[in-house]
Amino acid sequence: MNGPDVVCLGESMVVLRPGPAGAGRRLADVPSFDRGIGGAESNVACVLARRGHPTRWISRVGADAFGTHLVAAVAAHGVDTTYVQRDPVRPTGVYFRTAGERPTTSGTIPDPSHGEAAYYRAGSAASAMSPALIPRAAAHAGRILHLTGITAALSADCLALLRELVIRTPGSGPLLSFDVNYRAALWRHNAPEDPRVLAELARACDVVFVGEDEAEAAWGIDGGPDAIRAALPEPAVLVVKQGAAGATAYTRDAVVSVPAPAVDVVAPVGAGDAFAAGFLSATLRGLPLPARLRYGHLVAAAVLTVPGDLGEPPPPALADALAGLDPAAWGRLRLGPGWTGRPARVADTGTKKPGTEDPRVEDPRTEDPRT
């Protein structure tokens, strides 16, 4: 049996978000909740599986009803959950959230638009992941291993596992993808070390995703994408996310910036995971760097325009048509709820090969950005 394209490792939880009667309210005032699933790594796995990539999710959940639901829900997206372990003692993590984005700072933010999240994950089954419990061979079985900084904050054992997994013989093993995913509350309450350990992990990986706001909150880097690249020169590809402005990617010999399309945002949670999934999907297809950024933006827009952590990725034909727009047409693009179910209509805009809007960039079509 062939191995997966991508292995994603990390905690997923059951998510309870306000039902219709609780829209716009603080958690204390929400009368009822709708159930969903959420977890950075499983989100990436689900999106990649929906994009047609064989994908494996590795984690631990409780031997409880929430764990059963979680595994079934992730598997329903086409993800291989064979290596998800059931813990007979520790529970599945649960969290409650409103629609706004989680703040990257650790202070209390009263503005409801920034969102609230209440986590019940301390002592969860996933926090017990360790080098002794997670088979290295299963984690390294794919072409890409995707990890995030959330796992590093869960426990000393989880951090030890990540450190173990990012050690490779040069030129061997999977492409290592790492999303910094700094969560201030986790590092304030649970983390075994200072968040600077996230930079240590990032330096050992091949493809790294980090937001400008995260870099400032976790490491005090406030000089923009160039300053972040100066602090993280090791990754073969560094993607600095700049919110609604877009994203900038750095390789050994190129810098590419691609603006994000205008999006009518319903809820921002999960968009960063979707961006990573879109970028990795385009990487697996061997697309040039600007096209990878465009696919990241498009898949993120699919999540931004729905209330949950997971959205329906755009069909391949629609994504390819939009990613191939010329720069002017891309700049006019606006995406709203339901856009992924509409046929591509780009006849009046002109198209060109995806990702060629910057003539300075020379990016050979390759499956492995380390080459």
Side-chain angles (χ1 to χ4, degrees), residues 86-110:
R86 304 297 295 264
D87 191 309
V89 177
R90 298 175 181 85
T92 303
V94 177
Y95 80 98
F96 296 75
R97 72 162 176 85
T98 54
E101 180 60 283
R102 293 166 290 227
T104 54
T105 56
S106 58
T108 300
I109 298 179

Side-chain angles (χ1 to χ4, degrees), residues 13-258:
M13 294 171 287
V14 167
V15 183
L16 297 166
R17 57 181 183 270
R25 298 190 184 188
R26 306 297 286 177
L27 284 178
D29 302 319
V30 174
S32 61
F33 294 84
D34 292 332
R35 184 183 64 177
I37 63 171
E41 302 85 1
S42 62
N43 286 347
V44 172
C46 289
V47 173
L48 285 168
R50 296 298 291 269
R51 292 287 298 168
H53 301 286
T55 306
R56 172 183 296 170
W57 173 52
I58 297 177
S59 189
R60 305 185 83 246
V61 300
D64 50 32
F66 280 150
T68 299
H69 169 71
L70 225 170
V71 174
V74 173
H77 287 271
V79 177
D80 174 15
T81 58
T82 304
Y83 290 89
V84 178
Q85 301 172 0
R86 304 297 295 264
D87 191 309
V89 177
R90 298 175 181 85
T92 303
V94 177
Y95 80 98
F96 296 75
R97 72 162 176 85
T98 54
E101 180 60 283
R102 293 166 290 227
T104 54
T105 56
S106 58
T108 300
I109 298 179
D111 184 352
S113 68
H114 285 286
E116 283 183 284
Y119 291 90
Y120 298 88
R121 74 196 309 176
S124 69
S127 70
M129 289 188 295
S130 69
L133 290 177
I134 303 299
R136 178 183 173 90
H140 278 209
R143 296 164 62 189
I144 296 175
L145 170 61
H146 181 70
L147 308 166
T148 84
I150 294 173
T151 305
L154 296 180
S155 68
D157 282 342
C158 283
L159 176 56
L161 174 62
L162 291 197
R163 282 176 162 151
E164 164 71 19
L165 292 176
V166 299
I167 296 173
R168 298 166 304 174
T169 302
S172 66
L175 188 77
L176 294 178
S177 169
F178 182 72
D179 192 336
V180 170
N181 246 324
Y182 175 68
R183 296 286 179 261
L186 269 179
W187 289 93
R188 186 171 69 249
H189 296 303
N190 301 336
E193 294 190 21
D194 185 275
R196 284 175 292 187
V197 73
L198 295 174
E200 169 200 321
L201 294 168
R203 292 187 182 104
C205 294
D206 303 299
V207 179
V208 173
F209 304 92
V210 62
E212 276 188 302
D213 56 345
E214 293 177 308
E216 182 174 2
W219 307 321
I221 301 173
D222 60 1
D226 287 348
I228 298 170
R229 180 55 165 175
L232 296 174
E234 295 87 355
V237 178
L238 173 68
V239 179
V240 180
K241 296 175 288 183
Q242 300 165 272
T248 299
Y250 295 80
T251 64
R252 300 282 186 243
D253 51 12
V255 180
V256 179
S257 292
V258 173

